[in-house]
Amino acid sequence: MTIVLGGVMVPAASLVDEKQKRTLSALTVTPASLLEVYIAKALLGIVISVVMGLVVLVLNNAFGGQPALLLAVLGLGAVASSVFGVLLGAFVKDINVLLAVIKAGGLVLFAPALINFIPEAPAWLARIFPTFYMINPVLEVSQNGAGLQDVAPDLAVLLAIIGAMIVGLVLVIERQQKTLALNN
């Protein structure tokens, strides 16, 4: 949870704040492009997300037998969360709307875990939610001692999700860059 919330909240809230204070367009007047600003926001989200994930793992002594794999899985989850946070920040104009979207998105975050609590629910049902592919590999590696071969299919899906979000983000940035150029 800390990985997802840190990765989503920090870049999204930062971008929304920049829009509300009208500093985002001011940043693009500098030599920094809109893409560079968004990448900086995403990197901040990734760093905070990984650090918070590590803190939780240290507090729970849950590194398992493969800490390097666990760090890689945490990193991929942080990238996915942060890219989603930047996308969310690109679309949302108001902090209240952002908080409402994040609260509603909590259902998507918790859905895979809630489905596991229902014994009659089919296991594939949890795989519908994208957060499953961030959370399940972390749990498998840290709690069940899974290796790369065991979590590779989930990581492949997570990489595909990240790729799709990056393509979407590039398209959004191009559109916003044109809009900013027309307004300036």
Side-chain angles (χ1 to χ4, degrees):
M1 264 187 60
T2 58
I3 296 167
V4 175
L5 289 177
V8 171
M9 233 2 232
V10 171
S14 177
L15 283 170
V16 169
D17 187 51
E18 297 270 2
K19 286 181 194 176
Q20 286 184 316
K21 292 180 179 176
R22 302 193 192 285
T23 53
L24 188 59
S25 58
L27 280 173
T28 59
V29 175
T30 67
S33 70
L34 192 58
L35 175 65
E36 292 168 333
V37 171
Y38 279 29
I39 288 173
K41 304 288 185 187
L43 288 174
L44 178 62
I46 291 168
V47 168
I48 288 174
S49 190
V50 168
V51 168
M52 293 310 298
L54 287 173
V55 167
V56 170
L57 289 172
V58 166
L59 289 174
N60 291 301
N61 195 22
F63 276 98
Q66 299 191 44
L69 177 59
L70 187 57
L71 286 174
V73 170
L74 280 176
L76 283 176
V79 169
S81 299
S82 190
V83 171
F84 179 72
V86 171
L87 265 171
L88 190 58
F91 285 113
V92 175
K93 307 251 186 281
D94 179 71
I95 195 73
N96 293 325
V97 174
L98 174 65
L99 293 175
V101 169
I102 288 176
K103 286 178 185 177
L107 178 61
V108 174
L109 175 62
F110 291 116
L114 293 175
I115 291 170
N116 284 337
F117 286 130
I118 305 169
E120 297 84 28
W124 61 265
L125 193 57
R127 293 182 176 276
I128 293 172
F129 299 93
T131 53
F132 173 86
Y133 301 98
M134 289 183 260
I135 297 168
N136 191 57
V138 171
L139 292 176
E140 289 297 320
V141 172
S142 66
Q143 294 179 358
N144 299 332
L148 180 59
Q149 329 60 320
D150 303 318
V151 295
D154 290 345
L155 295 179
V157 173
L158 182 58
L159 285 169
I161 291 169
I162 292 169
M165 286 192 300
I166 288 174
V167 167
L169 185 57
V170 167
L171 295 173
V172 167
I173 291 170
E174 287 175 358
R175 189 186 80 212
Q176 288 182 348
Q177 190 74 45
K178 289 176 186 175
T179 303
L180 284 173
L182 292 174
N183 290 340
N184 292 334

